[in-house]
Amino acid sequence: MNRFQYASPVTKQSAVELLGSGAVVLAGGTDLLSLMKADVATPDLVVNIKEIAELKGLEHSEGSGMRIGALVTIDELLQDSRVQEEYPSLIQAADGIRSAQIRSVGTVAGDLCQRPRCWYYRHGYGLLAMQNGASMVVDGDNRYHAILGNAGPAYFVNPSSFAPALIALGASLKVSGPNGEKEIPVADFFQTPQSEAEKEYKLSDSEIVTQILVPAAAGKANATYEVREREALDWPLAAAAVSLTMQGDQVESAKVVLGHVAPVPWNSDEAAAALKGKAVSASVADDAGKAAVQQAKALSRNKFKIQLARVAVKRAILRAAGMEV
Amino acid sequence: MPEGKRPEETGSGISRRDFFKTSTAGAVSTALISKQGIAAPGEVTKLGPDPVKVKLIVNGKARRLKVEPRVTLLDALRNELDVTGPKKVCDRGTCGSCTVLMDGKPVYACSILAIEAAGNQIVTAEGLGSPDKLHPIQKAFVENDAQQCGFCTPGFIVACQSFLVENPNPSVKEIEEGLGGNLCRCGTYKGIREAVLETAAKGGFDA
């Protein structure tokens, strides 16, 4: 780890003033410290935001939904009884983070801002893993890489556990920066970088996520399903989150978002269309899963992920509808 | 060890001068003073990159040391304070062998900076019991053969303790999921499961 300076502001404004080129935000730190130890992140200044009181707390308000402060930990989210009732998709996503140690300090906002798990990236080859003008991923060990949105130049997968569920629920982020505060839908927060100069999400070096705003989920059935290699701490191989607005026993409208299959959380209008106007059954859910991966293209070693993504979508839909998966 | 000195144990706090640049900071409530680098709104002290004074509270004792901001809690415990229960294995927040309690919650000491942990209550396996008076979960580990090489054991002990506080009467599935943040390369999971079940069956322990 390189040497750095450390600061611990108590207001959002001081944090933003400290940030900028060469500075990084430290909250839970579970991802940042790993990146710093690998010399993938080499900041001059680490800005600890954990003492900023206004970034704490999770609140529900009638009608307008939930506000998750940037410092709310995964554990705090899991313990919240109203989240358990209204947002099972968030609880199921949190449940996949199988480490009490990470849940204690890791934050929901930090989950969105964690960097990809791509092993080329983590070993210092950059987000795009280019060598001599060609991607090392395409002919390399790409077994955990993208099956959708993988026309290049990026092949990593978005690592967030919560992003698919938050996008399916229509959540947005509040971001503070030198020009004040702005709100951005979680769906628009992520991007596929086109060059090494770009990041996989739209947050400049001088901005911080301050809040996550989740609309009320009343009347919306929602669920997440992750397919994983093992029970213990690991990132899923494929995941899907769904949010269903029902009319009687028919799906009036649906949002289906896949995780860990593309450089961004992958919104599938095809899967949503396959559900519209139908009563949920195993075969309808399977059709939606099939539709979700229709455009999928395997790299040399990750064909298995297409089937896993299809199953994740199917099971997330069944789980949301309260049916056996 | 910086300056070749062993940090002395002390119960006293650190002077506010270590934290605040200006005299107006004296008006800041004492609640803020335990954390490093915190000032009143608008007054932010940058610390480091050279070693800075940090006070850690480890197993109930205040310990003063001087470390660079980049030093992790794990390295500070092991290399500066000779608290070697927490082990350095993966050093990437994955294996759990460095698990300690911070304000009662399990954390990976390798993934927290020592400076961040200043003022928090840190408890390691050494703080749970002693060879003469083992903590019930430590005793159950011995009796159920829950270790082989023993390298993961102090982290597992701490993780099991905190798991049992939250889940006094766990199922096997809950044990497997709840301890998913710790790995044992010898594969002594069977003994660990039995140690946790036995401790729970005996009525657990006082948190």
Side-chain angles (χ1 to χ4, degrees):
Chain A
M1 210 187 295
N2 69 308
R3 283 155 56 86
F4 54 78
Q5 286 195 298
Y6 175 90
S8 198
V10 295
T11 65
K12 217 163 54 176
Q13 198 187 336
S14 328
V16 168
E17 282 166 13
L18 285 162
L19 288 172
S21 179
V24 291
V25 172
L26 171 68
T30 56
D31 191 40
L32 178 64
L33 262 67
S34 279
L35 291 165
M36 282 163 37
K37 287 173 189 175
D39 288 331
V40 173
T42 53
D44 303 318
L45 175 66
V46 170
V47 180
N48 173 28
I49 60 167
K50 282 194 292 294
E51 304 304 325
I52 304 177
E54 61 192 306
L55 301 183
K56 293 180 183 171
L58 188 161
E59 287 131 34
H60 299 269
S61 46
E62 290 313 319
S64 62
M66 169 169 66
R67 168 199 166 275
I68 304 172
L71 290 171
V72 170
T73 63
I74 298 158
D75 210 25
E76 286 171 318
L77 184 86
L78 272 166
Q79 304 299 330
D80 189 276
S81 57
R82 286 205 44 190
V83 177
Q84 291 167 11
E85 278 168 37
E86 285 180 45
Y87 305 104
S89 58
L90 293 176
I91 296 291
Q92 288 148 4
D95 183 57
I97 304 166
R98 284 284 164 74
S99 163
Q101 293 91 329
I102 287 182
R103 290 177 187 176
S104 302
V105 292
T107 62
V108 181
D111 168 82
L112 299 175
C113 297
Q114 67 179 308
R115 306 305 303 274
R117 304 300 305 171
C118 167
W119 40 36
Y120 293 96
Y121 170 67
R122 297 264 161 180
H123 282 81
Y125 295 101
L127 267 183
L128 305 182
M130 301 289 275
Q131 206 170 46
N132 303 322
S135 165
M136 297 165 77
V137 180
V138 173
D139 296 318
D141 193 338
N142 51 41
R143 73 186 97 160
Y144 301 125
H145 286 78
I147 52 168
L148 284 158
N150 59 359
Y155 299 92
F156 61 82
V157 296
N158 181 278
S160 170
S161 290
F162 293 111
L166 289 170
I167 293 170
L169 291 165
S172 55
L173 302 178
K174 278 221 165 149
V175 170
S176 273
N179 303 319
E181 201 158 63
K182 64 181 178 187
E183 198 173 318
I184 174 167
V186 181
D188 298 339
F189 181 62
F190 298 98
Q191 64 184 359
T192 301
Q194 299 301 313
S195 75
E196 278 299 339
E198 287 181 2
K199 240 174 159 172
E200 70 282 12
Y201 49 80
K202 296 172 194 160
L203 197 67
S204 79
D205 288 342
S206 47
E207 290 177 322
I208 50 170
V209 174
T210 59
Q211 294 179 34
I212 304 168
L213 305 169
V214 190
K220 279 188 184 165
N222 59 89
T224 296
Y225 191 93
E226 294 183 342
V227 181
R228 41 199 325 119
E229 211 156 18
R230 57 197 184 110
E231 291 281 328
L233 174 63
D234 206 351
W235 279 254
L237 297 165
V242 299
S243 173
L244 308 175
T245 306
M246 305 296 291
Q247 188 151 50
D249 64 349
Q250 290 190 348
V251 177
E252 186 181 281
S253 65
K255 284 286 280 181
V256 179
V257 185
L258 287 81
H260 312 275
V261 296
V264 294
W266 191 260
N267 177 54
S268 177
D269 288 334
E270 298 88 346
L275 293 170
K276 199 175 161 74
K278 307 244 174 71
V280 175
S281 67
S283 74
V284 165
D286 188 44
D287 287 346
K290 200 174 160 189
V293 297
Q294 200 139 41
Q295 304 296 323
K297 275 203 176 70
L299 300 170
S300 59
R301 297 183 63 175
N302 67 359
K303 195 176 169 197
F304 72 104
K305 283 189 62 167
I306 296 177
Q307 174 65 14
L308 300 187
R310 177 176 167 172
V311 169
V313 169
K314 176 185 175 182
R315 293 186 183 179
I317 293 164
L318 292 176
R319 188 179 257 183
M323 299 167 78
E324 209 168 309
V325 296
Chain B
M1 203 168 290
E3 303 169 14
K5 277 192 296 194
R6 186 168 286 277
E8 79 266 38
E9 292 189 10
T10 167
S12 68
I14 297 178
S15 156
R16 293 182 184 195
R17 282 192 302 274
D18 294 334
F19 304 111
F20 301 123
K21 276 200 283 198
T22 67
S23 58
T24 54
V28 175
S29 79
T30 50
L32 294 175
I33 295 174
S34 61
K35 303 303 287 184
Q36 298 279 139
I38 294 175
E43 301 162 11
V44 179
T45 311
K46 288 186 188 172
L47 300 170
D50 292 331
V52 292
K53 287 182 183 171
V54 173
K55 185 179 85 174
L56 294 177
I57 306 165
V58 183
N59 297 325
K61 283 183 187 148
R63 311 283 300 262
R64 294 175 121 188
L65 58 158
K66 249 184 126 180
V67 289
E68 293 179 354
R70 64 174 168 170
V71 172
T72 62
L73 174 60
L74 176 63
D75 283 344
L77 289 170
R78 293 181 57 82
N79 302 343
E80 308 292 326
L81 302 177
D82 270 349
V83 178
T84 54
K87 297 286 183 275
K88 189 167 179 173
V89 180
C90 78
D91 201 27
R92 294 290 188 280
T94 301
C95 74
S97 62
C98 66
T99 303
V100 301
L101 300 178
M102 187 164 84
D103 292 342
K105 291 190 166 172
V107 298
Y108 294 133
C110 76
S111 297
I112 287 174
L113 299 172
I115 196 169
E116 281 181 83
N120 297 85
Q121 293 283 341
I122 306 298
V123 176
T124 69
E126 291 97 328
L128 292 177
S130 64
D132 300 332
K133 193 167 183 266
L134 292 177
H135 184 278
I137 188 69
Q138 290 171 321
K139 197 157 175 277
F141 261 61
V142 174
E143 286 167 359
N144 288 279
D145 210 7
Q147 64 278 308
Q148 189 173 316
C149 85
F151 223 70
C152 70
T153 309
F156 254 114
I157 291 281
V158 173
C160 288
Q161 192 273 352
S162 114
F163 171 76
L164 277 163
V165 170
E166 297 293 323
N167 307 271
N169 191 19
S171 66
V172 169
K173 187 168 185 286
E174 285 168 343
I175 293 171
E176 287 172 356
E177 291 182 358
L179 296 173
N182 292 69
L183 298 175
C184 168
R185 292 301 296 268
C186 304
T188 59
Y189 297 110
K190 183 171 175 286
I192 293 168
R193 275 194 294 270
E194 282 162 7
V196 174
L197 286 170
E198 184 183 287
T199 308
K202 284 183 176 170
F205 43 79
D206 293 330

